[in-house]
Amino acid sequence: LPHVPDWIFTLLGAVGGDAEGKIVRALCRARGISARFVTERERPTSLKTRAVARRHQILRVDRESTHAISSKTEKKLLRIIRALPAQDMVIVSDYAKGVLTRTIVKMLVRRFGGRRMIGGLKPSTAGLYRGFSVLVLNLREAAELTEIHAKMNEDATRLVRRLGKKMRASIVLTRGEHGMTVYDATRRNILHVRSQALNIFDVTGAGDTVIAVLGLMRAGGSGLFTAANIANHAAGVVVGKEGTETASPKELIRHIVLNEGN
C-alpha cells in the first residue's frame, strides 16, 4: 500500500449553514483533511437518514437540495480551485447534487489535467467526464449509458470496451456480488475481478470506498489492475460492517491475506 502519512488530502465542495455542515467540517479537522468548503446558507447540507431492522435497510429519507449552486458559490469554488497546489490525483465524485457544474469540472480539468483525474459519475452528467483517466460506474449507471446489461462476463467485456471508447477513458465497472470488470484504455486489456466480500451486512459506502482506494493506489504509482484489485478488497471489508464504515490499512491487509490465500 502507498505510504500516505505525509500526504495532504483536500476535500472541496459546498455545505449549508447548518449543524450538519459544522459536523462535516469537524470530522475533516479530526481526520486531518484540508476542507475547502463554501457555505451556501439557503442550501441544506445533504443528510441521509436510514431506518434499519435486523441489519436490513428498509427505508431512507434524504434531506437535500439538488438544484445547481448559485453563481456566487460557483465563483468562490473556482477561486479555490485556481489557488490549489499541484495534486497527485483528483477524484471527482458526482452525485448530481448541483455542485459539480460544467464550469467547475472544466476548471478542474484545466487546472490539473484529465489524465490525473478519476470520475465517479451519474449518467445525466457523463458528458462532462470524457477524457478523464478512469471512470467508475455501477451496473445500473453503465446500462443507462450503453443499453448493455452486464450480468455475465462476456456482456461486461462488451460494455466496458464500448464505454471506454466512447468516453476515451479507462473504466472500472462495479458489479456487486460479481466483483468488477476493469478496462485499461492504454493497454486495451480487460480484467474480471471476483468479489472479495466474505460477509455482506450493508453495502452503504462501498462505491465510495472503491473510488477512494483506487485514487490512493493510483496516486502512489500502482497500475490500474492492481489498484482495482486492492479497491475491491477494501469494498469487501466495508460491506462486512453495519452502517457507513471505513477500511483501515490493518483490516485491508488482513482481508487481502485471507482471500488471496484461497
Side-chain angles (χ1 to χ4, degrees):
L1 295 175
H3 175 70
V4 300
D6 298 326
W7 287 9
I8 297 174
F9 297 91
T10 302
L11 184 60
L12 178 66
V15 296
D18 49 22
E20 288 76 20
K22 292 178 182 177
I23 290 171
V24 173
R25 292 178 186 275
L27 288 170
C28 288
R29 285 194 299 271
R31 292 289 184 175
I33 298 169
S34 173
R36 307 291 181 88
F37 297 139
V38 175
T39 300
E40 197 167 81
R41 299 202 175 277
E42 62 276 17
R43 184 188 196 92
T45 304
S46 292
L47 176 66
K48 302 174 187 292
T49 304
R50 293 177 172 86
V52 179
R54 296 182 181 179
R55 294 183 170 177
H56 293 288
Q57 179 178 305
I58 58 175
L59 176 70
R60 193 182 83 186
V61 179
D62 296 354
R63 188 206 70 176
E64 61 185 358
S65 172
T66 58
H67 67 264
I69 53 175
S70 68
S71 59
K72 182 178 180 181
T73 298
E74 184 181 66
K75 288 176 182 176
K76 288 181 179 179
L77 285 171
L78 290 171
R79 284 199 295 270
I80 292 171
I81 293 169
R82 291 190 190 100
L84 286 174
Q87 304 292 310
D88 295 294
M89 185 63 62
V90 177
I91 297 174
V92 182
S93 185
D94 192 348
Y95 278 83
K97 303 301 182 185
V99 175
L100 286 163
T101 65
R102 181 175 297 274
T103 305
I104 293 289
V105 176
K106 283 186 175 181
M107 175 56 74
L108 285 167
V109 174
R110 190 178 306 126
R111 178 71 182 79
F112 301 109
R115 306 322 297 174
R116 285 185 184 272
M117 303 181 74
I118 296 176
L121 55 85
K122 296 299 179 187
S124 61
T125 59
L128 297 177
Y129 300 96
R130 188 172 286 108
F132 270 41
S133 176
V134 183
L135 298 177
V136 182
L137 306 92
N138 62 32
L139 282 173
R140 180 183 55 78
E141 293 159 347
E144 193 171 329
L145 286 171
T146 63
E147 298 184 347
I148 298 174
H149 298 275
K151 291 185 178 180
M152 306 298 290
N153 283 353
E154 294 80 4
D155 296 324
T157 295
R158 191 160 52 95
L159 188 155
V160 294
R161 283 194 188 279
R162 179 182 296 183
L163 194 57
K165 183 177 180 180
K166 177 181 179 181
M167 301 300 293
R168 302 196 302 274
S170 294
I171 304 295
V172 174
L173 176 67
T174 60
R175 299 170 57 201
E177 69 270 21
H178 300 295
M180 295 178 178
T181 295
V182 186
Y183 171 65
D184 187 327
T186 302
R187 298 182 178 181
R188 298 186 180 180
N189 288 342
I190 289 176
L191 175 71
H192 298 292
V193 185
R194 67 182 177 88
S195 173
Q196 299 292 352
L198 297 176
N199 298 292
I200 300 177
F201 289 127
D202 193 335
V203 298
T204 302
D208 297 312
T209 298
V210 166
I211 197 169
V213 175
L214 188 75
L216 180 64
M217 296 298 297
R218 293 287 282 163
S222 295
L224 180 60
F225 287 172
T226 298
N229 188 43
I230 300 299
N232 190 45
H233 278 288
V237 172
V238 300
V239 300
K241 302 180 181 183
E242 294 184 58
T244 305
E245 282 286 355
T246 60
S248 70
K250 193 173 188 179
E251 290 172 322
L252 180 53
I253 291 170
R254 181 174 181 273
H255 194 274
I256 293 169
V257 170
L258 286 174
N259 281 270
E260 295 294 338
N262 293 336

